[in-house]
Amino acid sequence: MASGFPASTGDVLTAATVNGLVTFTVNADQTSDYTAVLTDQYQCLVPMNKATAIAFRIPTNASVAFPVGTAITVLNKGAGTCTISAVTSGTTTVLSAGAVAASPTLAQYKTAVCIKTATDTWYVVGAIA
């Protein structure tokens, strides 16, 4: 997570805080199925890296209360296809232009951003299939 975020009312912006917004924090490679956690927001890159199929899952708001407007960037480094989907599809809605709107996929070296637009609604945009 970018240092100093999320900020609170009354926080003083410093050069270090603002300069931290122009770079991504690159998380450790995920080599097995992974469910997003609160620290994945605010300019973090979540690399998925497996030779076979792997899943990036978005939890329900009841499990992890990401603020509306959260953007999580997912990079598939591995040869296996990465599927982005909801942990609980009946509760969390994932929408995309992918072949299967609720489960877009990323090929190797492709990136997508998951954007929270409502309590349990996420849009996935990027190099998806």
Side-chain angles (χ1 to χ4, degrees), residues 11-112:
D11 285 354
V12 176
L13 290 177
T14 65
T17 302
V18 174
N19 291 339
L21 293 177
V22 297
T23 60
F24 276 91
T25 298
V26 180
N27 292 357
D29 284 6
Q30 300 301 321
T31 57
S32 60
D33 292 351
Y34 180 75
T35 300
V37 296
L38 201 55
T39 55
D40 291 332
Q41 64 180 338
Y42 298 118
Q43 298 196 220
C44 286
L45 180 68
V46 181
M48 306 298 285
N49 194 357
K50 190 174 177 187
T52 57
I54 191 168
F56 177 85
R57 296 204 173 95
I58 300 171
T60 64
N61 189 71
S63 297
V64 181
F66 290 104
V68 170
T70 292
I72 301 172
T73 305
V74 181
L75 166 66
N76 186 24
K77 294 168 63 174
T81 299
C82 176
T83 301
I84 300 172
S85 62
V87 169
T88 309
S89 59
T91 303
T92 303
T93 302
V94 173
L95 302 165
S96 74
V100 178
S103 298
T105 59
L106 290 172
Q108 188 174 29
Y109 307 128
K110 302 293 182 180
T111 303

Side-chain angles (χ1 to χ4, degrees), residues 41-43 66-72 113-119 121-122:
Q41 64 180 338
Y42 298 118
Q43 298 196 220
F66 290 104
V68 170
T70 292
I72 301 172
V113 178
C114 307
I115 305 165
K116 185 174 184 178
T117 60
T119 300
T121 303
W122 292 78

